[in-house]
Amino acid sequence: MRGSAVVAGGGIGGLAAAIGLRKAGWRVRVLERAPGFTAVGAGISLWPNALRALTELGVELGPLRTPQASGGLLDEHGRWLTRWDAAVFERSLGSPMVGIHRARLLDLLLAALPDDCLEPGTTVGSAAELDADLVVAADGIHSRLRAELHPGHPEPVYSGTTAFRGVTTRTDDVQLGVTMGPGVELGVVPLAGGDVYWYAAVSAPEHTTVDDPKAYLLEKFAGWRSKVPELVARTEHVLHHDIHWLATPLPSYVRGNVALLGDAAHAMPPFLGQGGCQSIEDAVVLAAAAARYDDVDSALAHYDRERRPRSQRIARNSARMGKFGQQLENPLAVRARNSLIRLLPAGLSVRGSIRMSDWTPPRIGAQSPTSPAS
């Protein structure tokens, strides 16, 4: 089937959907509310499932496809809880995990689309006002189109975590790593191209305000055996925002000729690093279904069957990971968790990530059924 599609939202998921639908032979317009297609100054982890999906879209990272080096999990005193062997992970999945600046990824996606299909500065108030065979609602966590499709459905809720993020230049001794303390997670992700992304996730009341995020972080984590304070000091602009997620799963990602995609469908906590990856998966599955079926209803029914179980399961698991990890505050519980992690075989700590990333995208334009959700 071929037809016309409008994508509401020009983020990673929306642009990926536009690329996939064009590959499937559809005419596509991308409407973005902001005056330009830009990304915040932060990094994103692309797990093997997302890398395979990007390859199916025809988007190659090239020299930016730099695998992560080995790293590990530490406590706030700098003591190892467990180590990750990147080589084992890559051997298991045939592909590495890659850290990349969101702006670089957005540039790659934009380069795969013609300028005449991109319409920045365009606000979408209702799906009914869009004249297209297919409407893709990729308008983010506070999606207007989701509210229109599911009136009365609970809005995203505060996760209990506020996050600080930034990107700065890399030094030779920076490696992938996560430092855990009571109610705190500090992460370091080297990025392709020579930068490094860091984040600090902190348990806090909703709407906690910090006048000077950099000063706050430097004071709060002074003395911690982590690279994050050093990286914070070198960061020009620190981002700060509360983390929300769609805790009540949607009963369907589709209605009429509208498909919800990415955060509009399954906004999740960041503790598994799969939010953006799941958006790219959505895009490939939607495009493959649009190419395979002869009518929009059948294509969207297939998309919903494939995407909803997997993405909602990952969202639930991500929330659980946060409760066992960053959001654990009781000192006795933290010590018990750390002792358990130290006792587990090193390979066991990455087994869950391997299962989660062991996903093969459908072929866009192929007539065979898509792979089952895993």
PDB file of all heavy atoms in Angstrom, residues 205-226:
ATOM      1  N   PRO A 205      11.517  15.708  45.456  1.00  0.00           N
ATOM      2  CA  PRO A 205      10.113  16.046  45.236  1.00  0.00           C
ATOM      3  C   PRO A 205       9.932  16.654  43.849  1.00  0.00           C
ATOM      4  O   PRO A 205      10.851  17.267  43.297  1.00  0.00           O
ATOM      5  CB  PRO A 205       9.812  17.068  46.334  1.00  0.00           C
ATOM      6  CG  PRO A 205      10.876  16.866  47.364  1.00  0.00           C
ATOM      7  CD  PRO A 205      12.084  16.422  46.618  1.00  0.00           C
ATOM      8  N   GLU A 206       8.735  16.497  43.303  1.00  0.00           N
ATOM      9  CA  GLU A 206       8.446  17.078  41.999  1.00  0.00           C
ATOM     10  C   GLU A 206       8.556  18.603  42.060  1.00  0.00           C
ATOM     11  O   GLU A 206       8.287  19.212  43.086  1.00  0.00           O
ATOM     12  CB  GLU A 206       7.037  16.676  41.543  1.00  0.00           C
ATOM     13  CG  GLU A 206       6.724  17.060  40.110  1.00  0.00           C
ATOM     14  CD  GLU A 206       5.371  16.544  39.643  1.00  0.00           C
ATOM     15  OE1 GLU A 206       4.603  16.038  40.504  1.00  0.00           O
ATOM     16  OE2 GLU A 206       5.080  16.638  38.438  1.00  0.00           O
ATOM     17  N   HIS A 207       8.986  19.187  40.956  1.00  0.00           N
ATOM     18  CA  HIS A 207       9.137  20.638  40.810  1.00  0.00           C
ATOM     19  C   HIS A 207      10.235  21.207  41.710  1.00  0.00           C
ATOM     20  O   HIS A 207      10.216  22.392  42.064  1.00  0.00           O
ATOM     21  CB  HIS A 207       7.823  21.373  41.105  1.00  0.00           C
ATOM     22  CG  HIS A 207       6.661  20.883  40.302  1.00  0.00           C
ATOM     23  ND1 HIS A 207       6.683  20.779  38.929  1.00  0.00           N
ATOM     24  CD2 HIS A 207       5.436  20.435  40.690  1.00  0.00           C
ATOM     25  CE1 HIS A 207       5.526  20.305  38.505  1.00  0.00           C
ATOM     26  NE2 HIS A 207       4.751  20.087  39.540  1.00  0.00           N
ATOM     27  N   THR A 208      11.203  20.365  42.086  1.00  0.00           N
ATOM     28  CA  THR A 208      12.356  20.876  42.819  1.00  0.00           C
ATOM     29  C   THR A 208      13.123  21.850  41.925  1.00  0.00           C
ATOM     30  O   THR A 208      13.466  21.522  40.786  1.00  0.00           O
ATOM     31  CB  THR A 208      13.288  19.732  43.244  1.00  0.00           C
ATOM     32  OG1 THR A 208      12.601  18.888  44.179  1.00  0.00           O
ATOM     33  CG2 THR A 208      14.556  20.270  43.896  1.00  0.00           C
ATOM     34  N   THR A 209      13.358  23.048  42.417  1.00  0.00           N
ATOM     35  CA  THR A 209      14.071  24.051  41.622  1.00  0.00           C
ATOM     36  C   THR A 209      15.484  24.235  42.166  1.00  0.00           C
ATOM     37  O   THR A 209      15.712  24.182  43.382  1.00  0.00           O
ATOM     38  CB  THR A 209      13.327  25.396  41.637  1.00  0.00           C
ATOM     39  OG1 THR A 209      13.180  25.838  42.989  1.00  0.00           O
ATOM     40  CG2 THR A 209      11.961  25.265  40.996  1.00  0.00           C
ATOM     41  N   VAL A 210      16.401  24.459  41.253  1.00  0.00           N
ATOM     42  CA  VAL A 210      17.799  24.689  41.604  1.00  0.00           C
ATOM     43  C   VAL A 210      18.248  25.943  40.853  1.00  0.00           C
ATOM     44  O   VAL A 210      18.221  25.970  39.618  1.00  0.00           O
ATOM     45  CB  VAL A 210      18.677  23.482  41.205  1.00  0.00           C
ATOM     46  CG1 VAL A 210      20.142  23.785  41.489  1.00  0.00           C
ATOM     47  CG2 VAL A 210      18.236  22.230  41.955  1.00  0.00           C
ATOM     48  N   ASP A 211      18.639  26.973  41.581  1.00  0.00           N
ATOM     49  CA  ASP A 211      19.012  28.232  40.939  1.00  0.00           C
ATOM     50  C   ASP A 211      20.252  28.075  40.066  1.00  0.00           C
ATOM     51  O   ASP A 211      20.328  28.629  38.968  1.00  0.00           O
ATOM     52  CB  ASP A 211      19.251  29.322  41.993  1.00  0.00           C
ATOM     53  CG  ASP A 211      17.973  29.712  42.717  1.00  0.00           C
ATOM     54  OD1 ASP A 211      16.885  29.567  42.121  1.00  0.00           O
ATOM     55  OD2 ASP A 211      18.054  30.143  43.883  1.00  0.00           O
ATOM     56  N   ASP A 212      21.235  27.324  40.555  1.00  0.00           N
ATOM     57  CA  ASP A 212      22.489  27.126  39.822  1.00  0.00           C
ATOM     58  C   ASP A 212      22.786  25.630  39.795  1.00  0.00           C
ATOM     59  O   ASP A 212      23.403  25.106  40.723  1.00  0.00           O
ATOM     60  CB  ASP A 212      23.617  27.898  40.508  1.00  0.00           C
ATOM     61  CG  ASP A 212      24.918  27.856  39.715  1.00  0.00           C
ATOM     62  OD1 ASP A 212      25.084  26.940  38.881  1.00  0.00           O
ATOM     63  OD2 ASP A 212      25.780  28.717  39.949  1.00  0.00           O
ATOM     64  N   PRO A 213      22.323  24.918  38.756  1.00  0.00           N
ATOM     65  CA  PRO A 213      22.505  23.456  38.722  1.00  0.00           C
ATOM     66  C   PRO A 213      23.958  23.025  38.853  1.00  0.00           C
ATOM     67  O   PRO A 213      24.259  22.038  39.543  1.00  0.00           O
ATOM     68  CB  PRO A 213      21.928  23.067  37.359  1.00  0.00           C
ATOM     69  CG  PRO A 213      20.962  24.149  37.030  1.00  0.00           C
ATOM     70  CD  PRO A 213      21.564  25.388  37.586  1.00  0.00           C
ATOM     71  N   LYS A 214      24.871  23.737  38.229  1.00  0.00           N
ATOM     72  CA  LYS A 214      26.276  23.336  38.304  1.00  0.00           C
ATOM     73  C   LYS A 214      26.798  23.435  39.737  1.00  0.00           C
ATOM     74  O   LYS A 214      27.428  22.501  40.253  1.00  0.00           O
ATOM     75  CB  LYS A 214      27.127  24.201  37.373  1.00  0.00           C
ATOM     76  CG  LYS A 214      28.593  23.806  37.375  1.00  0.00           C
ATOM     77  CD  LYS A 214      29.440  24.718  36.507  1.00  0.00           C
ATOM     78  CE  LYS A 214      29.192  24.493  35.048  1.00  0.00           C
ATOM     79  NZ  LYS A 214      30.198  25.203  34.208  1.00  0.00           N
ATOM     80  N   ALA A 215      26.519  24.550  40.404  1.00  0.00           N
ATOM     81  CA  ALA A 215      26.971  24.711  41.788  1.00  0.00           C
ATOM     82  C   ALA A 215      26.321  23.677  42.698  1.00  0.00           C
ATOM     83  O   ALA A 215      26.969  23.118  43.602  1.00  0.00           O
ATOM     84  CB  ALA A 215      26.650  26.133  42.280  1.00  0.00           C
ATOM     85  N   TYR A 216      25.044  23.399  42.459  1.00  0.00           N
ATOM     86  CA  TYR A 216      24.333  22.402  43.259  1.00  0.00           C
ATOM     87  C   TYR A 216      25.006  21.030  43.141  1.00  0.00           C
ATOM     88  O   TYR A 216      25.245  20.347  44.152  1.00  0.00           O
ATOM     89  CB  TYR A 216      22.881  22.320  42.796  1.00  0.00           C
ATOM     90  CG  TYR A 216      22.117  21.122  43.309  1.00  0.00           C
ATOM     91  CD1 TYR A 216      21.563  21.106  44.587  1.00  0.00           C
ATOM     92  CD2 TYR A 216      21.948  19.986  42.506  1.00  0.00           C
ATOM     93  CE1 TYR A 216      20.860  20.003  45.056  1.00  0.00           C
ATOM     94  CE2 TYR A 216      21.254  18.884  42.961  1.00  0.00           C
ATOM     95  CZ  TYR A 216      20.711  18.893  44.233  1.00  0.00           C
ATOM     96  OH  TYR A 216      20.023  17.787  44.680  1.00  0.00           O
ATOM     97  N   LEU A 217      25.314  20.626  41.921  1.00  0.00           N
ATOM     98  CA  LEU A 217      25.912  19.309  41.712  1.00  0.00           C
ATOM     99  C   LEU A 217      27.323  19.234  42.283  1.00  0.00           C
ATOM    100  O   LEU A 217      27.711  18.224  42.891  1.00  0.00           O
ATOM    101  CB  LEU A 217      25.930  18.984  40.216  1.00  0.00           C
ATOM    102  CG  LEU A 217      24.566  18.783  39.557  1.00  0.00           C
ATOM    103  CD1 LEU A 217      24.729  18.658  38.044  1.00  0.00           C
ATOM    104  CD2 LEU A 217      23.863  17.554  40.105  1.00  0.00           C
ATOM    105  N   LEU A 218      28.110  20.281  42.099  1.00  0.00           N
ATOM    106  CA  LEU A 218      29.477  20.266  42.607  1.00  0.00           C
ATOM    107  C   LEU A 218      29.502  20.186  44.128  1.00  0.00           C
ATOM    108  O   LEU A 218      30.372  19.530  44.715  1.00  0.00           O
ATOM    109  CB  LEU A 218      30.224  21.505  42.117  1.00  0.00           C
ATOM    110  CG  LEU A 218      30.522  21.541  40.611  1.00  0.00           C
ATOM    111  CD1 LEU A 218      31.172  22.854  40.224  1.00  0.00           C
ATOM    112  CD2 LEU A 218      31.397  20.355  40.207  1.00  0.00           C
ATOM    113  N   GLU A 219      28.538  20.841  44.765  1.00  0.00           N
ATOM    114  CA  GLU A 219      28.477  20.769  46.228  1.00  0.00           C
ATOM    115  C   GLU A 219      27.951  19.410  46.688  1.00  0.00           C
ATOM    116  O   GLU A 219      28.497  18.800  47.612  1.00  0.00           O
ATOM    117  CB  GLU A 219      27.588  21.880  46.766  1.00  0.00           C
ATOM    118  CG  GLU A 219      27.446  21.868  48.291  1.00  0.00           C
ATOM    119  CD  GLU A 219      26.551  22.982  48.806  1.00  0.00           C
ATOM    120  OE1 GLU A 219      26.082  23.794  47.991  1.00  0.00           O
ATOM    121  OE2 GLU A 219      26.311  23.020  50.034  1.00  0.00           O
ATOM    122  N   LYS A 220      26.904  18.914  46.023  1.00  0.00           N
ATOM    123  CA  LYS A 220      26.266  17.674  46.459  1.00  0.00           C
ATOM    124  C   LYS A 220      27.197  16.470  46.314  1.00  0.00           C
ATOM    125  O   LYS A 220      27.191  15.561  47.151  1.00  0.00           O
ATOM    126  CB  LYS A 220      24.983  17.431  45.657  1.00  0.00           C
ATOM    127  CG  LYS A 220      24.186  16.206  46.108  1.00  0.00           C
ATOM    128  CD  LYS A 220      22.869  16.107  45.372  1.00  0.00           C
ATOM    129  CE  LYS A 220      22.041  14.911  45.841  1.00  0.00           C
ATOM    130  NZ  LYS A 220      21.612  15.049  47.253  1.00  0.00           N
ATOM    131  N   PHE A 221      28.011  16.480  45.266  1.00  0.00           N
ATOM    132  CA  PHE A 221      28.838  15.302  44.998  1.00  0.00           C
ATOM    133  C   PHE A 221      30.323  15.554  45.226  1.00  0.00           C
ATOM    134  O   PHE A 221      31.168  14.811  44.717  1.00  0.00           O
ATOM    135  CB  PHE A 221      28.574  14.811  43.571  1.00  0.00           C
ATOM    136  CG  PHE A 221      27.151  14.417  43.354  1.00  0.00           C
ATOM    137  CD1 PHE A 221      26.342  15.123  42.491  1.00  0.00           C
ATOM    138  CD2 PHE A 221      26.597  13.363  44.060  1.00  0.00           C
ATOM    139  CE1 PHE A 221      25.009  14.781  42.305  1.00  0.00           C
ATOM    140  CE2 PHE A 221      25.261  13.008  43.895  1.00  0.00           C
ATOM    141  CZ  PHE A 221      24.468  13.723  43.018  1.00  0.00           C
ATOM    142  N   ALA A 222      30.635  16.573  45.992  1.00  0.00           N
ATOM    143  CA  ALA A 222      32.031  16.809  46.357  1.00  0.00           C
ATOM    144  C   ALA A 222      32.536  15.610  47.166  1.00  0.00           C
ATOM    145  O   ALA A 222      31.891  15.155  48.113  1.00  0.00           O
ATOM    146  CB  ALA A 222      32.143  18.091  47.175  1.00  0.00           C
ATOM    147  N   GLY A 223      33.674  15.067  46.790  1.00  0.00           N
ATOM    148  CA  GLY A 223      34.241  13.934  47.512  1.00  0.00           C
ATOM    149  C   GLY A 223      33.815  12.580  46.981  1.00  0.00           C
ATOM    150  O   GLY A 223      34.368  11.565  47.396  1.00  0.00           O
ATOM    151  N   TRP A 224      32.837  12.551  46.089  1.00  0.00           N
ATOM    152  CA  TRP A 224      32.435  11.277  45.501  1.00  0.00           C
ATOM    153  C   TRP A 224      33.531  10.774  44.568  1.00  0.00           C
ATOM    154  O   TRP A 224      34.153  11.554  43.837  1.00  0.00           O
ATOM    155  CB  TRP A 224      31.134  11.442  44.711  1.00  0.00           C
ATOM    156  CG  TRP A 224      29.901  11.387  45.569  1.00  0.00           C
ATOM    157  CD1 TRP A 224      29.637  12.123  46.679  1.00  0.00           C
ATOM    158  CD2 TRP A 224      28.750  10.566  45.358  1.00  0.00           C
ATOM    159  NE1 TRP A 224      28.396  11.821  47.176  1.00  0.00           N
ATOM    160  CE2 TRP A 224      27.835  10.865  46.384  1.00  0.00           C
ATOM    161  CE3 TRP A 224      28.418   9.617  44.403  1.00  0.00           C
ATOM    162  CZ2 TRP A 224      26.600  10.244  46.487  1.00  0.00           C
ATOM    163  CZ3 TRP A 224      27.188   8.994  44.492  1.00  0.00           C
ATOM    164  CH2 TRP A 224      26.291   9.297  45.530  1.00  0.00           C
ATOM    165  N   ARG A 225      33.748   9.466  44.570  1.00  0.00           N
ATOM    166  CA  ARG A 225      34.731   8.856  43.669  1.00  0.00           C
ATOM    167  C   ARG A 225      34.042   8.580  42.334  1.00  0.00           C
ATOM    168  O   ARG A 225      33.711   7.459  41.991  1.00  0.00           O
ATOM    169  CB  ARG A 225      35.277   7.576  44.280  1.00  0.00           C
ATOM    170  CG  ARG A 225      36.075   7.791  45.555  1.00  0.00           C
ATOM    171  CD  ARG A 225      37.397   8.477  45.282  1.00  0.00           C
ATOM    172  NE  ARG A 225      38.221   7.654  44.406  1.00  0.00           N
ATOM    173  CZ  ARG A 225      39.005   6.667  44.834  1.00  0.00           C
ATOM    174  NH1 ARG A 225      39.065   6.397  46.136  1.00  0.00           N
ATOM    175  NH2 ARG A 225      39.726   5.968  43.988  1.00  0.00           N
ATOM    176  N   SER A 226      33.801   9.636  41.597  1.00  0.00           N
ATOM    177  CA  SER A 226      33.127   9.551  40.308  1.00  0.00           C
ATOM    178  C   SER A 226      33.722  10.622  39.405  1.00  0.00           C
ATOM    179  O   SER A 226      34.211  11.661  39.879  1.00  0.00           O
ATOM    180  CB  SER A 226      31.619   9.777  40.467  1.00  0.00           C
ATOM    181  OG  SER A 226      31.000  10.025  39.217  1.00  0.00           O
TER     182      SER A 226
END
